Amino acid sequence: MLRFVLLMGVLCLLGLPPSGLAVAPSLPPAAPHAPEALAPLRQLLQTPEDQVDLANAKLTIDRMIDPTVDAIETPRKLDGLAARIKARFPKGASSQAKLELLVTSLSQPGPWNDHRPFSYDLADPFGRNIRNKLLSTYLATRKGNCVSMPVLLVILGQKLGLDLTLATAPEHVLAKFRNDQKQWINIEATSFGTKRDASYQQEMGIAPRAIASGIYLRPLAKRESVAVMMATLLEFYGQQGRQELRIATADLVLQFAPNDVVAMLQKGNAYFRIMQARYLSKYRSPEEMPPEQRLDFDDLQRNNHLWFERAEALGWKMPMQAENAAYQLSIQRTRATHQGGK
């Protein structure tokens, strides 16, 4: 059996949508492994941990998706927002108090955000339009998803000297904050609230093995956070049909974050897409293929299976359609409530 993820529901992190969805403008064609295309990513991941600038990393990745992203204006907006939030900090404020002011500065209207608060994008909650996962889009529209919202929160936290980092759950990204008592607290950036590990485990069906292996709900190092940000680029290459570059990028992620299950799944999906383009669209069964093509097909199939099996060994499991449908229904109800209140 071929293994692939063609998710129609909660795609916020994996981002593997059906064909026909909006994508960013095409990049120039690349060679199969395009080492020159990966050079900026390799430089980001080779940066010493204590020197990683998450804002610069996100901007670099976003510009690889859309070169029109303003490399001067976007950092200026981030610095301006951070400065206005910092001005709200009382002298001697605790880390917890600073975090609360950071969160309210994003979620509540005021001069600190030009009276334009940030909120969850109910029109595109899964970030199916890849531009909606770009930081510049979130800063402009103030509508985000479970990629752009925690990323902005953590970037601002880094600028403000808070111990904030990213963490992942199935098809989801969240933030983790370490308070002055050295306790980690989950920040659900899509709702600007807190949430216990146990709630994520129960609601998302996270297996104990996934917690033990560290693929979910673990505070990530900065370079691992960069790897999480690169998931959007992997999604982009998949949408563009640039599967070889998608595989090479996933390999780079896995070199620095060996247990990154999103990179594994993206890589497994890429092998499936290559099989689909070369063979599945032309032959009804492998038995019809010429011998030399059958060898290539078998090799692609082995790699397709391999990367899904590695993800499963770490505790990943295929999302259930019922879970995705339930989440979509909750979004529809929330959207209807908001529209009814207007």
Side-chain angles (χ1 to χ4, degrees):
M1 176 185 290
L2 299 178
R3 306 293 302 279
F4 68 102
V5 177
L6 186 58
L7 302 177
M8 299 296 290
V10 185
L11 303 172
C12 204
L13 177 58
L14 276 180
L16 303 175
S19 60
L21 299 177
V23 297
S26 298
L27 294 173
H33 291 282
E36 69 282 358
L38 298 182
L41 302 176
R42 187 175 297 279
Q43 183 176 1
L44 286 176
L45 291 169
Q46 288 177 336
T47 302
E49 181 72 16
D50 61 352
Q51 297 176 28
V52 173
D53 183 332
L54 295 179
N56 176 64
K58 177 61 173 165
L59 181 61
T60 299
I61 293 165
D62 286 359
R63 282 178 53 81
M64 293 181 72
I65 296 169
D66 182 0
T68 68
V69 169
D70 196 321
I72 298 176
E73 182 65 13
T74 302
R76 188 191 68 79
K77 288 182 177 179
L78 288 170
D79 290 340
L81 184 56
R84 281 179 281 177
I85 296 170
K86 187 175 183 179
R88 301 186 70 197
F89 291 172
K91 185 176 180 180
S94 66
S95 293
Q96 182 70 38
K98 291 178 180 179
L99 173 72
E100 291 172 2
L101 285 168
L102 166 58
V103 170
T104 58
S105 295
L106 295 176
S107 62
Q108 297 178 10
W112 44 83
N113 57 30
D114 297 322
H115 299 277
R116 295 178 60 224
F118 296 81
S119 63
Y120 194 44
D121 186 358
L122 295 173
D124 185 19
F126 308 121
R128 283 174 167 161
N129 182 339
I130 201 166
R131 284 194 183 90
N132 290 337
K133 293 181 179 177
L134 305 184
L135 194 57
S136 57
T137 301
Y138 186 33
L139 290 170
T141 65
R142 306 299 167 101
K143 299 293 184 182
N145 47 62
C146 77
V147 171
S148 60
M149 297 182 82
V151 166
L152 177 62
L153 184 70
V154 169
I155 285 173
L156 290 173
Q158 184 184 59
K159 288 180 177 293
L160 295 169
L162 295 174
D163 197 348
L164 265 172
T165 190
L166 294 178
T168 61
E171 293 78 57
H172 191 67
V173 183
L174 59 141
K176 277 188 175 277
F177 164 69
R178 185 157 56 181
N179 61 21
D180 293 330
Q181 290 73 46
K182 305 303 179 183
Q183 300 167 320
W184 285 105
I185 300 171
N186 296 326
I187 310 298
E188 182 45 61
T190 58
S191 61
F192 297 109
T194 60
K195 196 169 186 176
R196 295 180 299 112
D197 279 1
S199 296
Y200 283 109
Q201 290 173 258
Q202 181 178 4
E203 293 172 12
M204 297 185 166
I206 299 175
R209 180 171 49 175
I211 299 297
S213 69
I215 63 173
Y216 296 138
L217 302 179
R218 177 176 59 84
L220 300 176
K222 290 179 182 177
R223 284 192 291 191
E224 291 176 311
S225 293
V226 174
V228 168
M229 294 177 188
M230 287 171 62
T232 305
L233 183 62
L234 288 166
E235 174 188 353
F236 173 73
Y237 288 148
Q239 288 182 350
Q240 294 283 302
R242 299 168 68 181
Q243 308 303 342
E244 289 84 0
L245 187 53
R246 187 184 182 192
I247 290 170
T249 304
D251 283 338
L252 182 60
V253 170
L254 291 167
Q255 180 181 342
F256 291 88
N259 287 350
D260 190 308
V261 292
V262 172
M264 295 178 189
L265 298 171
Q266 289 276 359
K267 189 173 179 179
N269 262 277
Y271 281 112
F272 170 78
R273 293 303 182 191
I274 295 172
M275 277 190 293
Q276 189 177 49
R278 291 181 186 174
Y279 306 113
L280 299 180
S281 61
K282 301 174 184 177
Y283 300 101
R284 289 174 296 181
S285 71
E287 287 70 26
E288 296 181 0
M289 300 174 189
E292 65 278 5
Q293 292 188 0
R294 178 62 188 269
L295 288 173
D296 183 48
F297 175 85
D298 288 345
D299 183 60
L300 292 169
Q301 186 179 45
R302 277 192 297 272
N303 278 287
N304 169 250
H305 280 232
L306 170 67
W307 290 104
F308 276 85
E309 289 167 359
R310 288 193 179 182
E312 287 172 333
L314 293 171
W316 174 83
K317 61 181 182 179
M318 182 77 75
M320 302 297 292
Q321 289 186 350
E323 294 172 358
N324 291 343
Y327 186 73
Q328 287 181 321
L329 181 60
S330 72
I331 290 295
Q332 291 170 4
R333 288 173 176 168
T334 303
R335 187 186 297 127
T337 300
H338 279 245
Q339 292 173 343
K342 291 181 177 179

